[in-house]
Amino acid sequence: MSTKDEKDWLRAILEGRVKPGDAEWERIWQDENFTGVRRVLREVGMRKKDELVADREKMWRAIKQYRGEGINRRRVPVWRWVAAAMLPLLLGGILWINLREKKDLLVAEVMLEIEAGTPRAVLFMEQGERIDLSLLAGDTILNKGDVRIRLDSSKSVTYEQVKGTPAKVEYNTIVVPRKGEYQLILADGSKVYLNSESRLRFPTRFEGKERRVYLEGEGYFEVARDSAKPFIVEAKEVDVRVLGTSFNVNTYVSERAIRTTLVSGKVRVGDRLTGKGEVILPGQQVVWKDGVFATKEVDTSIYTAWIDGKFYFEGATLEEITAQLERWYDIDFFFTSDNVKHFAFAGVINKEYSANKIFSIIEKTTQVHFSVNGRVVTVSEINNKQK
């Protein structure tokens, strides 16, 4: 049996489509072709063929080993549904819980502290040089033709154009991973703040009639004014065009849209394919989704609080909140029901807090409980009977 076939059978079991008593279930435990499937089931808690005993720590470890073999965790989405399918089984009564092991897990849960992110990024030069900015022991200066690059060991990179023989314009890329953030000052003096899981491709200096950069993820821009050269942020299917202003652009996949929030100045957000667009003023946000623009008045501080070290939630759902926490703390969330995803929470929280402290704050005002297992957090509803 191939690895793909084994995964398909495991998926059927973990989603409850194959259950004890079914003909397929008996086949798994009798047919020699299912040796690999039986091995994985035993590793994740299978003691007998008619019950599952939940050793969750062992379960996650076994899953990690089974899905490993050189494949990056985040690049194998199939295992996200495997994990997500197991949790409802655990909580829904299909799995029998070993109370002593659960107690041990709760002790470990209290001890684990999920620390906040820090300034970290990797700078990629066009010629292939790679610099891990989080590993710099001190400030560094690189001279690249007529461009000087200052690498600040704390949290920023600065490009400066200097007098000299003009060199070829090259494109560099700065990549900010999960649990990171970074600042960049471009050659024209514009400042860019990059949030976790973001990247920016930019020229070492600006020539021609425009200043164009390419964003994935989320960035806050403070653009140096130059009426002769408009500044353009290319974000997926959208161009954000400005002369001199401050604004935030969010292109995260979890947002399912591209959000541009204007703090000062004036910008035009246009669809690169159709040419359609919207001009927005300070205090407005334009959302592009599936080729359609929608503009509204907003409190811009909600969308820019991250650059000041804050999470600002105003009636945000837990699904929206956890999407931000996943990136900043490098953790994954699983909800025990769709209903829990829509619970709302409001508050301003310091990003320097550990994730555990944020969970505690949310739990005090919301009927939910966060259960930590390694870097996986389960979110479940608390009803009055459980109190």
Side-chain angles (χ1 to χ4, degrees):
M1 181 179 293
S2 68
T3 299
K4 179 180 182 301
D5 290 336
E6 289 179 354
K7 289 181 179 179
D8 289 342
W9 277 96
L10 285 169
R11 179 177 184 177
I13 294 168
L14 298 174
E15 290 182 341
R17 291 185 282 111
V18 174
K19 297 175 287 189
D22 294 345
E24 293 89 346
W25 183 266
E26 294 302 318
R27 181 183 173 194
I28 289 171
W29 289 98
Q30 295 174 8
D31 194 325
E32 64 180 10
N33 290 327
F34 289 86
T35 302
V37 176
R38 289 195 295 271
R39 173 182 58 79
V40 174
L41 289 175
R42 289 192 180 99
E43 286 178 351
V44 302
M46 180 65 71
R47 304 287 175 83
K48 302 177 183 178
K49 67 178 183 178
D50 61 346
E51 70 172 357
L52 290 174
V53 179
D55 182 338
R56 294 173 66 181
E57 182 177 358
K58 183 185 295 184
M59 176 176 65
W60 283 108
R61 186 166 62 248
I63 288 176
K64 183 177 180 180
Q65 293 171 349
Y66 187 78
R67 72 181 174 189
E69 302 173 355
I71 301 176
N72 183 287
R73 173 172 65 90
R74 295 183 200 155
R75 301 303 178 191
V76 191
V78 66
W79 283 108
R80 292 185 69 105
W81 57 250
V82 170
M86 297 189 80
L87 290 171
L89 295 179
L90 282 168
L91 298 166
I94 297 177
L95 304 184
W96 295 94
I97 304 300
N98 183 303
L99 294 178
R100 182 179 60 79
E101 292 175 345
K102 184 178 180 182
K103 181 178 179 180
D104 292 341
L105 176 61
L106 291 175
V107 173
E109 183 177 311
V110 173
M111 294 176 61
L112 177 64
E113 193 79 4
I114 303 175
E115 298 296 336
T118 57
R120 63 180 71 186
V122 178
L123 182 64
F124 294 90
M125 307 291 193
E126 186 170 293
Q127 300 302 318
E129 186 177 358
R130 177 184 185 277
I131 303 174
D132 189 336
L133 301 172
S134 60
L135 298 180
L136 294 177
D139 295 347
T140 303
I141 296 179
L142 302 177
N143 290 304
K144 301 288 184 179
D146 60 345
V147 175
R148 178 185 297 122
I149 307 174
R150 296 181 180 273
L151 307 176
D152 184 334
S153 58
S154 60
K155 61 176 181 179
S156 68
V157 176
T158 302
Y159 281 71
E160 300 174 348
Q161 192 164 348
V162 297
K163 292 182 179 179
T165 304
K168 175 187 175 183
V169 176
E170 296 183 347
Y171 278 82
N172 292 175
T173 301
I174 185 169
V175 177
V176 181
R178 271 189 170 198
K179 210 174 181 181
E181 61 183 11
Y182 225 75
Q183 296 179 21
L184 169 70
I185 299 178
L186 300 170
D188 67 336
S190 296
K191 181 178 288 189
V192 186
Y193 300 81
L194 291 171
N195 209 345
S196 304
E197 268 193 327
S198 300
R199 67 169 57 211
L200 186 77
R201 182 172 178 264
F202 58 94
T204 52
R205 71 175 190 277
F206 294 102
E207 289 190 347
K209 297 181 179 180
E210 65 179 26
R211 297 170 288 167
R212 183 179 291 266
V213 299
Y214 306 83
L215 173 70
E216 295 178 30
E218 183 171 25
Y220 179 82
F221 295 80
E222 294 177 353
V223 178
R225 186 166 187 82
D226 185 344
S227 57
K229 288 185 179 182
F231 190 97
I232 301 170
V233 178
E234 187 169 314
K236 295 184 179 178
E237 294 90 343
V238 163
D239 281 347
V240 182
R241 179 182 294 263
V242 305
L243 296 177
T245 187
S246 300
F247 60 97
N248 193 81
V249 181
N250 185 327
T251 73
Y252 286 128
V253 173
S254 62
E255 293 288 325
R256 303 182 186 91
I258 300 174
R259 301 175 186 274
T260 303
T261 308
L262 184 60
V263 176
S264 65
K266 184 168 69 174
V267 304
R268 181 185 187 276
V269 182
D271 187 309
R272 199 174 309 110
L273 179 63
T274 65
K276 296 180 180 179
E278 293 283 329
V279 175
I280 59 174
L281 301 175
Q284 293 184 328
Q285 178 186 85
V286 60
V287 179
W288 178 95
K289 185 175 182 180
D290 299 329
V292 178
F293 289 97
T295 301
K296 61 182 179 180
E297 302 287 332
V298 296
D299 179 352
T300 60
S301 60
I302 296 175
Y303 301 93
T304 62
W306 64 271
I307 68 172
D308 296 319
K310 306 287 184 183
F311 288 115
Y312 193 152
F313 305 124
E314 186 177 60
T317 66
L318 288 184
E319 184 175 29
E320 294 168 338
I321 291 170
T322 54
Q324 295 186 50
L325 300 182
E326 281 188 338
R327 292 187 288 265
W328 184 236
Y329 294 97
D330 189 18
I331 51 182
D332 293 305
F333 287 90
F334 292 105
F335 293 87
T336 59
S337 72
D338 285 337
N339 184 49
V340 180
K341 294 180 180 180
H342 303 295
F343 283 18
F345 172 81
V348 181
I349 302 176
N350 196 319
K351 287 178 64 178
E352 293 182 355
Y353 288 168
S354 68
N356 309 67
K357 187 168 183 177
I358 292 181
F359 299 157
S360 178
I361 292 172
I362 296 175
E363 285 177 340
K364 289 177 180 178
T365 58
T366 312
Q367 294 293 97
V368 296
H369 174 64
F370 294 88
S371 177
V372 180
N373 180 23
R375 305 206 74 80
V376 177
V377 182
T378 305
V379 188
S380 56
E381 180 177 358
I382 299 175
N383 56 45
N384 292 329
K385 293 181 179 180
Q386 291 176 308
K387 281 189 152 184

